[in-house]
Amino acid sequence: MTDAPTAGVDIGGTKIRAALVTPDGEVLASATAPTPSGGRAMLDVAAELVARASATAGRSAAGIGVGAAGVVDPESGEVLAASDSFVDWVGTNLRSGLAARTGLPVTVANDVDSFLVGEATWGAVRGVRSAAGIALGTGVGGALWLDGALYRGAGAAGEIGHMPGFGDARCTCGQRGHLETLASGRSVERRYAEAVGPDGGGPDGVGAAEIEARARAGDEAALRVLTDAGRAVGSAVLVLAALLDVGHVVVGGGLAHAWDLLEPAIRARLANEPPVSGHTVEVRRAVLGGDATVVGAAALAR
Ligand SMILES: [Zn+2]
């Protein structure tokens, strides 16, 4: 498997993406399709996208790495838990299901773990010894890269989005005051809608991208919810630094598009309360964009 490409597959709530990736992290070809409903249909689409990317690149994959949304068991390849938006997904065996469809060996990981492996192998935290990854998407995901390897704990280490201590709003998990209630795209939209009232956003409310645009144009409520999100991320970074003494944190996901608005609040939080270790913690924006998860998953398959 020295110079043969491997396939990375990113299975998310809205789309599935497969890419053929060289040992150097170069994406040779990729293919994307909307996520269908049901585990069996999702596996069919994933297998077809791998075949399509391979055909485009004119190369075969030596193996497949999957970065999947939800809690997955890397040993068995099974999806153990997922949000309500995934129908018939829990209980799906990604490894045996994709292996049966493609005839290739399959490695399975969580999508945020794969994102961090991508950024640690070829991206913003390439070459660092230890780093945490925070993905600010619809929810907030996290992952840990410790002493040069992914750290999974009992399987779900790094669930940063569900750390308590961030107010008392209800979280998507049913509990209260988790980081995700301040720093996810969905929570930014909810908090902005609460701030401006029913007349401020139309029947469907205002999306995160529009809130970013309004903040840049001087909308105070928009600026405030994004500043709150950045400050909350800064607090989470301080917890990670205190607990693990990671020197680097990489922040990605859709809300990281608002990096110019989030970063000052993150930095202010870190400056206010520097880690007691006296070590600095460097927070960087992810650089691989939509490729991080597929190239990370492909690296895990190698
Ligand atoms: Zn939660």
Side-chain angles (χ1 to χ4, degrees):
M1 215 187 266
T2 47
D3 67 343
T6 51
V9 180
D10 178 3
I11 300 183
T14 57
K15 62 181 167 50
I16 299 177
R17 181 155 177 260
L20 215 64
V21 183
T22 70
D24 300 323
E26 185 195 346
V27 173
L28 295 173
S30 69
T32 305
T35 304
S37 183
R40 195 176 287 253
M42 287 159 79
L43 290 173
D44 287 342
V45 168
E48 192 216 313
L49 292 172
V50 170
R52 216 196 294 167
S54 299
T56 305
R59 305 274 302 273
S60 318
I64 300 176
V66 183
V71 179
V72 297
D73 180 353
E75 302 300 326
S76 70
E78 189 177 333
V79 180
L80 301 178
S83 76
D84 296 346
S85 53
F86 289 89
V87 179
D88 284 339
W89 184 228
V90 174
T92 301
N93 195 305
L94 296 171
R95 175 183 290 151
S96 59
L98 259 188
R101 284 163 175 78
T102 61
L104 294 171
V106 178
T107 304
V108 174
N110 166 268
D111 56 350
V112 184
D113 284 349
S114 302
F115 151 80
L116 179 57
V117 169
E119 291 290 341
T121 310
W122 293 297
V125 289
R126 178 180 191 155
V128 310
R129 188 174 166 82
S130 297
I134 302 179
L136 306 175
T138 311
V140 174
L144 300 169
W145 177 262
L146 302 179
D147 293 333
L150 199 56
Y151 179 78
R152 292 185 166 113
E159 279 289 356
I160 292 160
H162 300 284
M163 282 200 301
F166 295 85
D168 68 352
R170 184 171 289 278
C171 186
T172 52
C173 69
Q175 298 177 38
R176 287 190 174 273
H178 291 173
L179 171 64
E180 186 165 300
T181 66
L182 289 177
S184 69
R186 190 160 38 196
S187 67
V188 163
E189 292 168 359
R190 174 184 51 77
R191 297 186 74 241
Y192 184 73
E194 285 168 4
V196 298
D199 299 331
D204 297 326
V206 179
E210 171 63 17
I211 295 168
E212 290 170 41
R214 291 187 185 187
R216 290 190 190 99
D219 180 328
E220 281 186 23
L223 195 53
R224 192 167 59 245
V225 296
L226 287 166
T227 301
D228 288 349
R231 193 181 298 127
V233 170
S235 295
V237 169
L238 288 172
V239 172
L240 291 165
L243 203 60
L244 299 166
D245 200 11
V246 289
H248 296 82
V249 177
V250 57
V251 180
L255 199 65
H257 286 139
W259 188 244
D260 56 320
L261 302 161
L262 298 171
E263 188 188 22
I266 295 171
R267 292 208 183 288
R269 186 76 188 84
L270 299 184
N272 265 348
E273 214 174 309
V276 286
S277 62
H279 301 161
T280 55
V281 52
E282 199 174 316
V283 183
R284 297 177 182 169
R285 182 184 178 174
V287 297
L288 296 178
D291 279 342
T293 298
V294 287
V295 299
L300 286 171
R302 196 160 292 287

